[in-house]
């Protein structure tokens, strides 16, 4: 888990660094989808493992583990104590649940406000007018206005909020809030949330950037309301914080050829990062399953030692329904990335017991430090005999 968090965080930082090259360009639509895809790629690609070679990897190191005894006493001992992992999982689920409930409540607030407001349709656009609304903001297909703002299609406020509605910016905002809820422990996502919200304003402001006089009056209007804040961060608000970047972008006239150059560079860098994060290092094929005394080799090590390995296995093992005495021999391979693969039963005196053992082994964490042969990381094969008494 820690390795996944580290890899995804590194990718989030690198993708954000690439975005900084694009931020001052007028490629607002591309930037919108770049930020969304960057988040998805950074969170998914560390889970994808694509080997550079398709031929089978020969095992170069073999070791038989000590006998593991599984009985009623060890099961009671393991199940009676709450592990740190269980506590952390509980905390994670609680925090995610609270954040998702908060999100649902925020969405409900818009629905409740809309029901109590006066609804007016103009050119097919839904407007909600209420004295409980301060200023102007939009959520999904509805534009919310205070009574002092007229529904005038020449009004910059109406035009601005209409752009948010047409381009469905609410979907992006809900997406980033769901991701933040699921990965609340990663502060980098807050930077992405800010970048996405600011780019939404770039898109909505773009309608006023074509004419200098229009852009000037538009910025003056924004400055008049620059102190007003949006109380619900799910809304796309006209009074979004006015920054130097936003003013710069309203008057910015980026050269199209320069935009193409930034676009090509961004795509190349992003594609390279994604490819590197998913490809596995190639292993040199070794047809021999034994090693000579002259070869420098180290065996894989389970984090915390084999005592921790046995403890983790017993925590995952479910003895429900098992009776009597059984003997099972399992085989598995520790891959170069520290994960366990090709888990199978070599010998067993009971089919049900072997299925329980397999299930427990597949739930084990990838906590191995891989073995090496002549200073090169290799796959390693393990055999683990176990006896069960219930």
């Amino acid at each position: 888990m820690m390795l996944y968090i580290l890899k995804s965080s590194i990718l989030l930082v690198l993708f954000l660094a690439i975005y900084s090259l694009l931020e001052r360009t007028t490629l607002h639509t591309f930037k919108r989808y770049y930020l969304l895809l960057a988040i998805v790629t950074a969170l998914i690609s560390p889970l994808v493992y694509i080997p550079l070679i398709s031929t089978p990897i020969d095992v170069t190191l073999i070791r038989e583990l000590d006998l593991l005894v599984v009985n009623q006493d060890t099961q009671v001992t393991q199940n009676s104590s709450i592990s740190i992992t269980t506590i952390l999982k509980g905390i994670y689920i609680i925090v995610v649940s609270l954040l998702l409930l908060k999100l649902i409540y925020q969405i409900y607030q818009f629905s409740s406000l809309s029901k109590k407001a006066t609804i007016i349709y103009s050119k097919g656009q839904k407007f909600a007018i209420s004295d409980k609304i301060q200023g102007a903001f939009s959520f999904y297909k509805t534009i919310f206005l205070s009574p002092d703002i007229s529904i005038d299609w020449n009004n910059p406020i109406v035009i601005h909020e209409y752009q948010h509605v047409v381009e469905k910016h609410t979907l992006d905002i809900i997406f980033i809030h769901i991701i933040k809820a699921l990965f609340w422990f990663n502060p980098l996502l807050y930077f992405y949330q800010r970048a996405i919200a600011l780019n939404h304003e770039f898109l909505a402001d773009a309608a006023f950037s074509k004419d200098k006089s229009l852009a000037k009056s538009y910025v003056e209007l924004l400055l008049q309301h620059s102190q007003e804040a949006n109380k619900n961060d799910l809304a796309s608000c006209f009074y979004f914080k006015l920054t130097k970047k936003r003013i710069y972008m309203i008057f910015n006239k980026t050269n199209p050829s320069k935009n193409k150059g930034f676009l090509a560079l961004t795509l190349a860098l992003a594609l390279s990062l994604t490819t590197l994060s998913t490809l596995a290092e190639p292993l040199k094929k070794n047809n021999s399953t034994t090693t000579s005394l002259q070869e420098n080799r180290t065996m894989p090590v389970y984090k915390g030692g084999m005592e921790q390995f046995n403890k983790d296995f017993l925590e995952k093992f479910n003895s429900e329904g098992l009776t009597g005495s059984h003997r099972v021999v399992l085989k598995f391979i520790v891959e170069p990335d520290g994960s366990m693969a090709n888990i199978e039963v070599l010998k067993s005196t009971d089919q049900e017991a072997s299925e329980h053992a397999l299930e427990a082994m597949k739930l084990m964490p990838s906590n191995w430090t891989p073995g090496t042969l002549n200073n090169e990381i290799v796959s390693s094969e393990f055999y683990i005999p176990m006896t069960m008494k219930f």
Side-chain angles (χ1 to χ4, degrees), residues 213-261:
S213 60
L214 183 62
K216 185 177 179 181
S217 61
Y218 178 69
V219 170
E220 289 175 353
L221 179 63
L222 290 172
L223 287 169
Q224 292 174 15
H225 303 278
S226 60
Q227 301 303 317
E228 300 182 33
N230 177 24
K231 295 181 180 179
N232 193 321
D233 57 1
L234 293 185
S236 297
C237 184
F238 177 73
Y239 307 128
F240 185 86
K241 185 178 179 181
L242 187 63
T243 63
K244 290 182 179 179
K245 288 181 180 178
R246 191 175 170 190
I247 295 174
Y248 169 83
M249 203 60 65
I250 292 172
F251 292 101
N252 185 26
K253 299 291 183 183
T254 306
N255 189 308
S257 60
K258 188 176 181 181
N259 275 344
K260 291 179 181 179

Side-chain angles (χ1 to χ4, degrees), residues 106 169 250 265 273 301 311 322 346 361 378:
Q106 287 179 301
H169 291 165
I250 292 172
L265 178 62
L273 283 177
V301 177
K311 181 180 178 181
L322 294 178
L346 289 184
M361 191 65 72
V378 294

Side-chain angles (χ1 to χ4, degrees), residues 1-2 12-13 37 39 49 70 72 77 89 111 118 120 122 132 139 169 237 241 246 308 322 362 386:
M1 183 62 179
M2 290 303 298
L12 285 171
V13 169
L37 287 173
I39 294 171
Y49 183 82
V70 182
Q72 193 65 37
T77 302
K89 286 181 179 178
S111 176
T118 301
I120 299 175
S122 176
K132 294 183 179 181
F139 179 80
H169 291 165
C237 184
K241 185 178 179 181
R246 191 175 170 190
Q308 183 63 44
L322 294 178
K362 290 177 180 178
M386 58 183 70

Side-chain angles (χ1 to χ4, degrees), residues 86-330:
T86 303
I87 295 174
L88 291 176
K89 286 181 179 178
I91 294 173
Y92 170 79
I93 292 172
I94 290 172
V95 175
V96 170
S97 299
L98 290 174
L99 291 174
L100 290 177
L101 285 174
K102 179 186 175 183
L103 176 62
I104 293 171
Y105 175 71
Q106 287 179 301
I107 295 173
Y108 167 77
Q109 284 182 309
F110 290 109
S111 176
S112 178
L113 183 59
S114 179
K115 289 179 181 178
K116 296 176 182 178
T118 301
I119 304 300
I120 299 175
Y121 286 89
S122 176
K123 294 185 178 181
Q125 174 57 49
K126 180 181 177 181
F127 292 87
I129 314 296
S130 173
D131 53 8
K132 294 183 179 181
I133 298 172
Q134 294 182 356
F137 58 85
S138 59
F139 179 80
Y140 195 42
K141 295 181 179 181
T142 305
I143 296 177
F144 295 83
L145 299 175
S146 59
D148 60 312
I149 300 177
S150 62
I151 301 176
D152 181 356
W153 288 100
N154 292 318
N155 186 343
I157 297 176
V158 173
I159 296 173
H160 177 97
E161 291 306 323
Y162 183 67
Q163 293 302 313
H164 285 305
V165 172
V166 169
E167 297 185 17
K168 298 181 175 61
H169 291 165
T170 300
L171 299 180
D172 299 3
I173 296 172
I174 292 177
F175 167 78
I176 187 61
H177 274 77
I178 292 174
I179 295 296
K180 278 175 54 187
L182 296 176
F183 299 89
W184 53 265
F185 48 82
N186 196 326
L188 292 168
L189 293 172
Y190 291 86
F191 291 96
Y192 276 86
Q193 179 186 4
R194 181 185 176 280
I196 288 171
L198 184 57
N199 190 63
H200 284 173
E201 299 310 312
F202 293 162
L203 284 162
D205 293 339
F208 305 94
S209 62
K210 297 177 182 179
D211 185 276
K212 283 188 177 181
S213 60
L214 183 62
K216 185 177 179 181
S217 61
Y218 178 69
V219 170
E220 289 175 353
L221 179 63
L222 290 172
L223 287 169
Q224 292 174 15
H225 303 278
S226 60
Q227 301 303 317
E228 300 182 33
N230 177 24
K231 295 181 180 179
N232 193 321
D233 57 1
L234 293 185
S236 297
C237 184
F238 177 73
Y239 307 128
F240 185 86
K241 185 178 179 181
L242 187 63
T243 63
K244 290 182 179 179
K245 288 181 180 178
R246 191 175 170 190
I247 295 174
Y248 169 83
M249 203 60 65
I250 292 172
F251 292 101
N252 185 26
K253 299 291 183 183
T254 306
N255 189 308
S257 60
K258 188 176 181 181
N259 275 344
K260 291 179 181 179
F262 277 116
L263 181 61
L265 178 62
T266 302
L267 290 173
L269 291 174
L271 184 60
S272 299
L273 283 177
T274 305
T275 303
L276 289 174
S277 67
T278 55
L279 290 180
E281 293 184 4
L283 297 176
K284 292 184 178 180
K285 187 172 181 179
N286 189 334
N287 292 325
S288 174
T289 58
T290 60
T291 57
S292 66
L293 295 176
Q294 289 77 22
E295 290 177 323
N296 179 23
R297 62 174 179 168
T298 60
M299 296 300 298
V301 177
Y302 192 80
K303 295 177 183 177
M306 293 312 300
E307 183 178 348
Q308 183 63 44
F309 176 88
N310 293 344
K311 181 180 178 181
D312 290 345
F313 178 84
L314 292 171
E315 284 183 352
K316 305 296 183 184
F317 189 86
N318 179 15
S319 61
E320 185 177 354
L322 294 178
T323 57
S325 299
H326 313 288
R327 180 174 174 83
V328 177
V329 179
L330 295 180

Side-chain angles (χ1 to χ4, degrees), residues 28-68:
H28 305 317
T29 302
F30 173 78
K31 289 187 292 183
R32 175 188 181 184
Y33 294 107
Y34 170 85
L35 287 169
L36 298 175
L37 287 173
I39 294 171
V40 173
T41 303
L43 297 177
I44 292 180
S45 61
L47 302 174
V48 180
Y49 183 82
I50 304 176
L52 292 177
I53 53 175
S54 57
T55 55
I57 301 174
D58 289 350
V59 177
T60 56
L61 302 177
I62 302 177
R63 178 184 177 187
E64 182 172 347
L65 299 178
D66 296 332
L67 178 68
L68 175 60

